Every structure is written in C-alpha cells, then in structure tokens.
Amino acid sequence: NDTKSALQASRQAAAVLSRARLAREEAEAYHLTAKIHLLRLEPREAVSSAAQALTLLRRPGDEDEKAAVLVTASYAHGMAMEYDGAVGTASEAVDLCRRTGNKRRLKMAMHALAEGYLIKGDYGQALDLAEEAQHKDAQDKILEARLLEVSCYARLGWSSSKKKGLRANVRDMLQKAQAASAILVAAGNKRQEADAKFLMGKVQLQAGNLHAAIKEVTKAYDAYGALKDGQGVGWTGLLYAACLLRSPAKLVAGRESAVTSKEIEIPQYDGALHSALVAHSTFRRIGDEEGTEAALKVVN
C-alpha cells in the first residue's frame, strides 16, 4: 500500500543521507519514517525512528526540528500507552519551544503534553494545558479542534472520577465537542471524521442523550471499519455496549388485559454483551492488551 512504499522510501533516504554525512537531513528522514509508522499504527517503531532522529539533532539551529521530533515521539509513546514517555518528551518539547519562541510549535507541543496527561489519567493537568494552549496564537483549525477534543475527554475523565464543578458541566462539554466535531468533519479526512463521531457519541452519552449517542457511535463504528482500524472498531464497540446498557428496551408486563398491563424497561443486556464480545475478539486479534481487558470487564 501507499504507506509501505513511503516507509521504504524514507528508510532509503536516511541511508543515503547517512553516507553523505548530512546529519540534519538524515534526521528529517528518520522523523518522516516515525510519522509514517504512526500512520500505520506502529508506535514502538515510531519511537525508535524518532530516537534515531534525536541523536542527530545536536547542533545550534536544530532546535525547531528537535522540538517537532519530540512531539512526534510523544504521540508515539501515547499510542503505545507509555505514559511517562509521552509526558517526558512533550515536556521537553514545550520547554524547547518556549526558549525558541516558535508559537505554532509550542501550541503543538502543549497539545502533545495535554494528551500525555490525559492518557496518564491526570485530567486536571490535561484540561489546564489544553485550555491554556487554546489561547496561544496559531492559525491551525485542526489543532484547535484537537485541543477542544482533549478538553472534552479531560472533562469526561473528571466527571467519571465523581468530581463536580464547572469542569464537569455537561452543557459546556457538549458545546466544545460540537465545535471540535464540526471542524474535523469539515476537513474531509476520514480518520478525523471517525474521531469526531466517537467524541460526540461519548459526550452525548454523558449528557444522557441516548438516541443521539447511539447514532453518532454507529457512524464512528462504520468509519473506523472502513479505515480497517481495529482499535477504533474495538473501542467504539465498547462505547456502543455502554449506550445499550443506558438505553433500556421496553417490555409489556401483565398480559391479562390491556388495563392491567404496563410497560417496564430493562437494559439491553444481550445487545451489549454481543457488542462487547465482538470488541474483545477484535482486541485479541490485534494484540491490544488494554482493550482486551476493558472488553472482559464489560462481559463479566
């Protein structure tokens, strides 16, 4: 496929540039290789390629490129669920960008750091960083949407921790999710559209808008399926199971007469179980241990 050809080309470029002893250009080739590994959902390979790039960026004038590689490394650590690596590399990138004064790069580094704190479960830090970054000057709508996305997930985490206050305000959360979703869908990128639908499903469920949640989750599931993204399909399946457990089916009890019969509501256990089992199978197939464990909790 296209990414396989690109990966081969970037590796060949790195080898040629190494023989030519062009360190900065070789680092850029390794950085490109890391980015391609991220697109291929190969985080450990991305971390390795980023590390190779960083060893070459030691001269004055390399600071901007080094910060960019550190951000990529942070995303790769995050994808591999390596919390300390994600936070550590992003923190270094933030410090470097503050020194160089590159505003756009700083905003990207702050987003990476906020994501690192998010996956680490430090929702307060993630939220503070995401909202601070939103006030930094940088004309990048997708980055703005991603910061809103982190803000929403941090608020969801804050709420799930039984914490109250403005950070747990569902209306504010829904407004931010809608703003992020509108930007991501308008960009025309299928993965961003899938991420937008998943986010909206999570927030609509938190808001108690169950029909809207199921509608968004179904779209996300189809979108991740079309992308052949096993992780996306698995986590969306678990979100769908959560929607079914919150959206009870209506049954009629007491059939003696129309007068004595009444409707009762019970959670849709069968549908939720089926969805969780499919998610479990998907996670096992792709070797996602965290997803497999999460699916088992739903099944049990």
Side-chain angles (χ1 to χ4, degrees), residues 153-166:
Y153 282 123
R155 288 168 185 271
L156 285 166
W158 187 269
S159 299
S160 68
S161 303
K162 309 299 182 185
K163 296 179 180 179
K164 305 299 181 183
L166 291 175

Side-chain angles (χ1 to χ4, degrees), residues 199-229:
L199 172 65
M200 283 301 301
K202 290 274 286 188
V203 175
Q204 292 285 16
L205 179 62
Q206 179 69 21
N209 302 327
L210 302 177
H211 292 299
I214 289 174
K215 183 178 178 181
E216 298 288 1
V217 170
T218 301
K219 290 179 180 178
Y221 189 90
D222 291 342
Y224 284 125
L227 291 166
K228 294 181 170 45
D229 182 344

Side-chain angles (χ1 to χ4, degrees), residues 81-210:
M81 303 308 289
E82 296 167 354
Y83 317 128
D84 291 338
V87 170
T89 49
S91 295
E92 189 177 348
V94 168
D95 291 342
L96 192 56
C97 291
R98 289 192 195 281
R99 293 200 300 272
T100 61
N102 188 321
K103 293 181 180 179
R104 184 176 183 279
R105 194 83 75 195
L106 174 60
K107 196 163 186 171
M108 292 177 67
M110 292 178 74
H111 171 261
L113 183 55
E115 277 206 342
Y117 280 124
L118 181 65
I119 62 173
K120 193 175 182 179
D122 192 339
Y123 303 121
Q125 285 270 48
L127 183 56
D128 289 344
L129 267 166
E131 299 200 340
E132 180 188 349
Q134 287 172 44
H135 294 98
K136 301 290 183 184
D137 292 330
Q139 299 300 316
D140 187 331
K141 287 188 176 181
I142 299 300
L143 182 55
E144 290 290 339
R146 290 304 190 185
L147 286 165
L148 287 168
E149 186 180 42
V150 171
S151 177
C152 288
Y153 282 123
R155 288 168 185 271
L156 285 166
W158 187 269
S159 299
S160 68
S161 303
K162 309 299 182 185
K163 296 179 180 179
K164 305 299 181 183
L166 291 175
R167 291 181 170 187
N169 186 288
V170 175
R171 181 179 295 178
D172 188 37
M173 201 185 306
L174 190 55
Q175 289 176 344
K176 289 180 181 295
Q178 289 169 335
S181 180
I183 295 170
L184 294 173
V185 170
N189 180 289
K190 295 299 182 184
R191 181 167 300 281
Q192 290 173 356
E193 184 175 346
D195 292 345
K197 296 303 178 185
F198 185 88
L199 172 65
M200 283 301 301
K202 290 274 286 188
V203 175
Q204 292 285 16
L205 179 62
Q206 179 69 21
N209 302 327
L210 302 177

